[in-house]
Amino acid sequence: MPSYSAIVLGKNSSWGTSISSIMNGTSIFGRVAMGLIGDRVGSLNTLCTMTLLSCFGIMVLWLPFASMGPFVAAAVIFGLCSGGIVSLIPVVTANIFGVKRLPSTIGLLMLAYTFGDLISSPPAGAILDKYGHGTSFTSLIIYNGVFLVLSTICDILLRIILSRKLWEKV
């Protein structure tokens, strides 16, 4: 997002710092607020909502618009949701596998994150160079949006497997 603000929106490099600060600041709020909301409505329910809202921010607000307002709104939503996702994954894991198995399960999740890292950043740079010629981020936004959509689908499927009752706290 910081590079996008400089390259596509034509802002100076300090805007990239501002966007990073906005995302990190809302991420702090998201970590706390989504934990509290997760206690009330269920951690998996909140996680599903956060991944869905992330999709909305990226695919609906950021992708079709190349202007500052929707971009900042997408950064705020993404920061808020990413904070919630980061704080809720260990809670959902503990709820599913139990607290006794949490250390080994979190270890396996961290191992799985390495594969996610390998299929995100290196290909993203290649996509930006090959299809965006270093200046068009559309293909990169779509690439990332597809992974968010897949994450949302996986979260919802997990929710359905655990409980088919719509309003149940899961």
Side-chain angles (χ1 to χ4, degrees):
M1 285 184 141
S3 299
Y4 179 88
S5 65
I7 294 171
V8 175
L9 299 178
K11 299 292 182 183
N12 60 24
S13 61
S14 68
W15 257 103
T17 306
S18 298
I19 290 299
S20 291
S21 298
I22 289 169
M23 286 192 307
N24 287 326
T26 54
S27 175
I28 293 168
F29 178 74
R31 288 172 193 244
V32 175
M34 295 314 128
L36 295 172
I37 292 170
D39 287 342
R40 280 193 150 334
V41 300
S43 54
L44 185 55
N45 294 335
T46 308
L47 182 64
C48 290
T49 305
M50 291 299 96
T51 54
L52 186 62
L53 280 174
S54 290
C55 289
F56 173 79
I58 299 300
M59 301 299 276
V60 176
L61 291 178
W62 188 14
L63 179 62
F65 300 104
S67 59
M68 203 53 160
F71 177 65
V72 171
V76 167
I77 289 171
F78 186 75
L80 179 76
C81 294
S82 67
I85 290 167
V86 165
S87 67
L88 289 170
I89 286 178
V91 177
V92 170
T93 304
N95 289 342
I96 293 171
F97 295 102
V99 176
K100 282 186 175 182
R101 294 173 48 189
L102 188 62
S104 58
T105 309
I106 292 291
L108 289 172
L109 280 175
M110 294 299 132
L111 178 64
Y113 283 174
T114 60
F115 296 110
D117 290 342
L118 289 174
I119 63 169
S120 61
S121 295
I127 289 169
L128 182 60
D129 289 342
K130 183 172 183 172
Y131 299 107
H133 309 292
T135 59
S136 174
F137 285 70
T138 303
S139 56
L140 187 58
I141 296 168
I142 292 170
Y143 180 75
N144 288 321
V146 165
F147 280 108
L148 274 172
V149 168
L150 291 173
S151 295
T152 303
I153 291 169
C154 289
D155 287 347
I156 291 171
L157 287 174
L158 178 61
R159 169 62 172 87
I160 290 169
I161 289 168
L162 294 176
S163 175
R164 292 182 181 252
K165 295 177 183 174
L166 183 60
W167 301 112
E168 185 175 7
K169 182 179 173 181
V170 178

